[in-house]
Amino acid sequence: MSVVEAPAAGGPQLEQVRRLVTAIPGPRSLELAARRAQALPAGIVSGQPVFAAAAGGGVLVDVDGNSFIDFGSGIAVTSVGNSASRVVERAVEQLRQFTHTCFLVNPYEGYVEVCEALNRLTPGDHVKRTALFNSGAEAVENAVKYARAATGRPGVVVFDHAYHGRTLLTMAMTAKNNPYKKDFGPFTAEVHRAPMAYPFRAPGGRERAAEQAMAALRDLVDVQVGADQIACVVIEPIQGEGGFIVPPEGFLPAVAEFCRERGILFVADEVQTGFARTGDMFASEHEGLAPDLITTAKGLAGGLPLAAVTGRAEIMDAVHPGGIGGTYSGNPAACAAALGVIETIEAEGLVERARVIGDRFLARLTGIADGNPVIGDVRGRGAMIAVELVRPGTTEPDPAAVAQVIRYCQERGLLVLSAGTYGNVLRFLPPLVMPEHLLAEGLDILTEAFATL
Ligand SMILES: *Cc1c(COP(=O)(O)O)cnc(C)c1O
């Protein structure tokens, strides 16, 4: 096979085709993998074996010139597409002006503008404030700081299958031991875990999932810990790494109401679900929730590191002056990129587009699931869709089938990610700007992949 040169630049101009010109991984990726093995520690692994050269629209081109359809968006980050024009233009312009002052030393307008935008866009019409950070984990950590300062209580309640990050506090909040927590303890105190309303795995069946989870939450909070010891309940409106677990309608409002009655703050971790991904600007909007605090990151700045905590003014103002910050928090180029992301979502109608993408996936996947008992569950909302694979006729997880589908897709030029506490979930998070023909082509490859199971 002939090797074509990798493109000089990515972004929306990149040719929107699936094209394989070498075996996967190609020779150049193999060469880099060998160097990587000598230079990086074993604990850092990559899901796909190909090194990136350029990406944009719905494709990622590797260093051997292979062009892949991207169903992952770098884990829900490049929702507006990689190197999206408005993101690049604004970030480059900012980089030419200045790269850093530290907002704690010399403030700049971009930071304020991002905070104003988040206060406007996040659900709830209460008066809000926003603080910026670098990563999702850092945002979650700081949300807990705000909640503790505002309530004077230490406790944090999280759920089974939760993922909140890899720092010390957020590791404690994350549910899954391997790979996130194994060997890294001891963890922080005052983190309490409640069962999640997980329709597919609810012990009493789908219909009772919400009711049972609420009863367990009530027991944990009122009986075991004591409501007056709990600062906040932190929940992902749709759980991400845990396997795109969509709680039954009514569960999230019930949790929010339960919190309100006890003076516990309701924190929505929208790091993965935010910024048009689920067919709403924020997943909390789906059931009319107005969380006390919202954490965001991934989709916020089109790939530049930026995260935020947005919340009720009286909660956010409870922390003493100087209590919150960080050298890089709210980096000016990342702020400029975020403004480009928000402009892109609004100008290109990406909230609506996420719904259309969701409809395409659900239609195809429910069709595949019909004749294929390996698919135990199809779920998700907007462009955040997953299938959970099981041994036929059971709910026993089948992570090997997930690995087989991913490999099949990879070898044919389609990038797909796994997820799930049991590693048996395939998750689909395409860039919201993916053209129709690539969406259809990707779904055709998936259909073939399932036919081989
Ligand atoms: C990814 C993620 C995080 C952690 O974000 P990082 O930027 O990786 O620290 C936190 N919460 C949720 C829901 C996530 O999906």
Side-chain angles (χ1 to χ4, degrees):
M1 272 187 270
S2 70
V3 178
V4 297
E5 277 300 299
Q13 295 77 26
L14 201 54
E15 197 187 351
Q16 297 296 299
V17 290
R18 177 175 67 98
R19 178 168 53 210
L20 296 181
V21 295
T22 71
I24 305 299
R28 181 82 183 115
S29 275
L30 287 172
E31 222 174 277
L32 288 168
R35 274 172 55 195
R36 167 193 173 135
Q38 296 305 310
L40 276 65
I44 301 173
V45 301
S46 304
Q48 309 283 349
V50 296
F51 279 72
V59 300
L60 180 144
V61 178
D62 76 5
V63 288
D64 291 290
N66 299 297
S67 182
F68 294 83
I69 299 172
D70 179 12
F71 274 5
S73 303
I75 318 188
V77 169
T78 53
S79 298
V80 296
N82 230 304
S83 298
S85 323
R86 293 178 186 85
V87 171
V88 171
E89 279 157 26
R90 281 176 175 261
V92 166
E93 191 181 288
Q94 176 56 50
L95 286 168
R96 291 215 169 91
Q97 299 304 313
F98 59 92
T99 51
H100 173 85
T101 60
C102 187
F103 193 77
L104 309 180
V105 179
N106 286 102
Y108 37 88
E109 185 174 354
Y111 189 118
V112 178
E113 225 178 317
V114 171
C115 296
E116 288 169 345
L118 284 169
N119 294 344
R120 170 173 65 86
L121 292 168
T122 50
D125 47 18
H126 47 274
V127 180
K128 295 174 209 155
R129 304 275 186 262
T130 291
L132 301 181
F133 303 97
N134 300 293
S135 69
E138 205 190 345
V140 173
E141 290 245 353
N142 279 280
V144 171
K145 288 194 206 172
Y146 283 114
R148 284 180 172 163
T151 60
R153 304 170 177 183
V156 177
V157 170
V158 291
F159 291 84
D160 287 343
H161 311 287
Y163 184 86
H164 298 295
R166 297 174 182 257
T167 57
L168 188 64
L169 174 60
T170 58
M171 263 196 296
M173 295 170 69
T174 289
K176 189 176 177 178
N177 172 54
N178 192 356
Y180 308 123
K181 306 163 75 158
K182 187 170 135 55
D183 300 337
F184 299 149
F187 301 109
T188 59
E190 295 300 342
V191 175
H192 310 282
R193 193 173 306 283
M196 178 65 183
Y198 187 167
F200 182 62
R201 295 190 176 279
R206 266 176 204 278
E207 284 66 35
R208 298 197 54 214
E211 174 197 328
Q212 286 186 328
M214 277 313 296
L217 178 66
R218 201 170 302 116
D219 190 76
L220 176 73
V221 169
D222 290 340
V223 180
Q224 298 177 40
V225 185
D228 62 357
Q229 296 303 304
I230 298 173
C232 59
V233 167
V234 183
I235 190 163
E236 300 154 81
I238 296 176
Q239 289 183 316
E241 307 302 298
F244 286 18
I245 300 163
V246 186
E249 295 275 327
F251 178 69
L252 294 171
V255 173
E257 174 64 13
F258 174 87
C259 289
R260 209 182 48 75
E261 288 166 359
R262 288 160 179 78
I264 297 169
L265 301 182
F266 178 77
V267 183
D269 182 352
E270 293 238 23
V271 166
Q272 192 154 165
T273 50
F275 298 98
R277 178 51 59 188
T278 64
D280 285 293
M281 194 63 173
F282 296 95
S284 299
E285 289 167 43
H286 183 71
E287 293 187 86
L289 297 173
D292 297 305
L293 297 170
I294 298 184
T295 54
T296 53
K298 291 190 168 91
L300 167 58
L304 277 79
L306 190 68
V309 178
T310 303
R312 293 184 186 279
E314 63 274 21
I315 298 168
M316 301 294 287
D317 286 334
V319 171
H320 55 281
I324 297 290
T327 306
Y328 293 115
S329 300
N331 169 271
C335 286
L339 296 170
V341 164
I342 292 163
E343 196 187 325
T344 305
I345 290 173
E346 291 175 345
E348 297 189 13
L350 295 184
V351 171
E352 295 70 29
R353 184 65 194 149
R355 294 183 186 199
V356 172
I357 290 173
D359 291 345
R360 302 265 189 279
F361 269 90
L362 286 177
R364 182 70 72 99
L365 292 169
T366 47
I368 299 172
D370 250 354
N372 200 329
V374 175
I375 300 183
D377 197 23
V378 179
R379 58 180 179 245
R381 211 158 66 224
M384 185 170 181
I385 302 289
V387 290
E388 178 157 357
L389 305 191
V390 292
R391 298 196 191 288
T394 72
T395 56
E396 202 184 315
D398 191 350
V402 163
Q404 193 184 323
V405 170
I406 289 179
R407 201 171 333 105
Y408 182 96
C409 292
Q410 219 167 56
E411 286 165 359
R412 282 155 189 83
L414 173 66
L415 301 179
V416 177
L417 308 181
S418 65
T421 300
Y422 313 109
N424 66 323
V425 174
L426 284 163
R427 59 170 152 178
F428 309 109
L429 297 152
L432 306 178
V433 295
M434 175 165 293
E436 281 290 332
H437 72 277
L438 291 183
L439 211 54
E441 211 176 321
L443 287 170
D444 287 344
I445 295 170
L446 260 181
T447 309
E448 287 168 28
F450 279 110
T452 68
L453 288 179

